[in-house]
Every structure is written in C-alpha cells, then in structure tokens.
Amino acid sequence: MSMISVDVGAEESHSYAVGTTVRDVVLNVHGRKHGAVAALVDGVERDFSHVLESDCSVEPIDGSSEAGLYILRHSCAHLLAQAVTELHPDARPTIGPPIEHGFYYDFHMDPITDEDLRAIEKRMKALVKANLQVEREEHDNETLRSMFADNPFKIEIMDDKIGEGAGSSVYRQGDFVDLCRGPHVTTTAMLRWFKLTSTSTCYWKADASRESLVRIYGWCFASKEALQNHETLMREASKRDHRKLGK
C-alpha cells in the first residue's frame, strides 16, 4: 500500500494511505468535535471529500472563522435554492453568494409573500433535519449544458465564466444540483443556524433592461448563540431607528 506524509500542524506529520480523504485526516487528528467545515490542503480550500494522493499539509477551516463562515453562508444559499425550487418548481435559480452576516439568492420567479418566505424557511429546516449529503461532481461542458438546459441563466454563466470546451464542478444535495466551484459543507445538517430575513427585486446582472428577479436574503452563523446575538443586535438597531424617526 502506497503511503503519503501529511503535515497536520504543530510541526507534526502523520502517514496515511494514498486515497485518504481530508475528512479522514481531520477526524483522526482533531476528533469528532473538530468544528471544521472544510480544510486547507497546501493552502487551497478543499471539501472534506477531497482525496489526498501525495504529500501535503492539511489545516482545518473552523466554522466560526471568516473563511468558515463564508463556506457556511455559501452552502446556506444552496440550501435556500433547493427549498425554493422544491416549493416553486417554475423558479429558476441564478446566483447566490455569501455576504456579510449571511447570504442571498436571486431567482427568476413570481413575487413571493411573507407567508411564502416562512414556508421556504420551514422547508430549509426540514432539509437540514434530513441530513442530505452534499457531493461535489466534475463534469465536462456538454454534460453541464445538458444538466442546466432548462435554466438559461446558468447557461449564460457558463458562457461568461467557463467557456467552450471547459468543464466545471457542480454540487448535489438530494435532487438539487447547482453549478459551483465550492467548497461546501458535507451535509445539510451543518447548516442549522440560519434565518430568512427579507426579499427585494433586482435585475439580472444589475441591468434594468434584463429580467426582473426576486432576491431572498438570510442570515447564517456557526452557532445558535451567534445567530441569537445577531438577531438581538438587529432588533436593538431597529428600535433606535424608530426612536430617531419619532423625534
């Protein structure tokens, strides 16, 4: 069996079989309560499923770190898109980046109500409880275009960012698949601490001559306490704004 040497920090190296995953190394070194959502492999962000085939360094990315929160929030945007497309099958996801304190995702769909928003959040929580595996897949350009043939926005993203003849990665969780470079969390169960907050209207590529989209915003944090603290801060800020308006 071929072996590789993995630098795990603190001037310490461990030997593992070729084909060991990042998850295996993090669990072996840091235990089940590691708190990581992904890892740096030779300084490059990788999913836990990434396979190690040569000597390298592996450094966990803690979920509460800036890099870890970015991954959590990006993954939560995917969770939102899965919930929306399950409840509104005609909706077409466009882009969904992480932002400060949370995330948003833009959809080509009919406007939604506050009741719709609550239903989407409820569905997201159900998907978290389902503990769906989040899996990275690599596909060539032809396969990608076939996978997203019913979504012209994703095709346009491919035209702009991938180009002809090049492939890319997608992430799959349950029946939902999204075009993305990642990395992402390994299961939806890692996305417990979120809250949908509001919606707005925007335009595809910020161009008023293009399609009108529904943007859904949410918060996401690494812990219940962090989410509750942010909710408290936002409530207090809202009260201060109301007092200023009343003067």
Side-chain angles (χ1 to χ4, degrees), residues 27 40 43 47 71 113 136 153 168 170 188 193 195 204 212 244:
L27 283 173
L40 294 172
D47 303 305
I71 292 168
T113 65
R136 179 187 177 95
F153 302 97
S168 187
V170 301
T188 57
W193 309 120
K195 180 179 178 62
W204 176 234
S212 178
K244 287 178 183 177

Side-chain angles (χ1 to χ4, degrees), residues 167-206:
S168 187
S169 56
V170 301
Y171 281 80
R172 183 184 301 274
Q173 52 198 62
D175 293 328
F176 176 74
V177 182
D178 207 353
L179 183 71
C180 194
R181 290 179 295 183
H184 284 283
V185 300
T186 52
T187 76
T188 57
M190 299 172 73
L191 303 172
R192 295 172 64 190
W193 309 120
F194 70 88
K195 180 179 178 62
L196 297 186
T197 57
S198 61
T199 65
S200 67
T201 300
C202 61
Y203 295 101
W204 176 234
K205 294 186 173 180

Side-chain angles (χ1 to χ4, degrees), residues 34 37 71-72 98 114 149 156-157 160 167 198 201 224 227 242:
H34 51 73
V37 294
I71 292 168
L72 282 172
D114 289 343
E156 193 168 334
I157 290 171
D160 292 344
S198 61
T201 300
K224 182 178 181 180
L227 176 59
H242 284 305

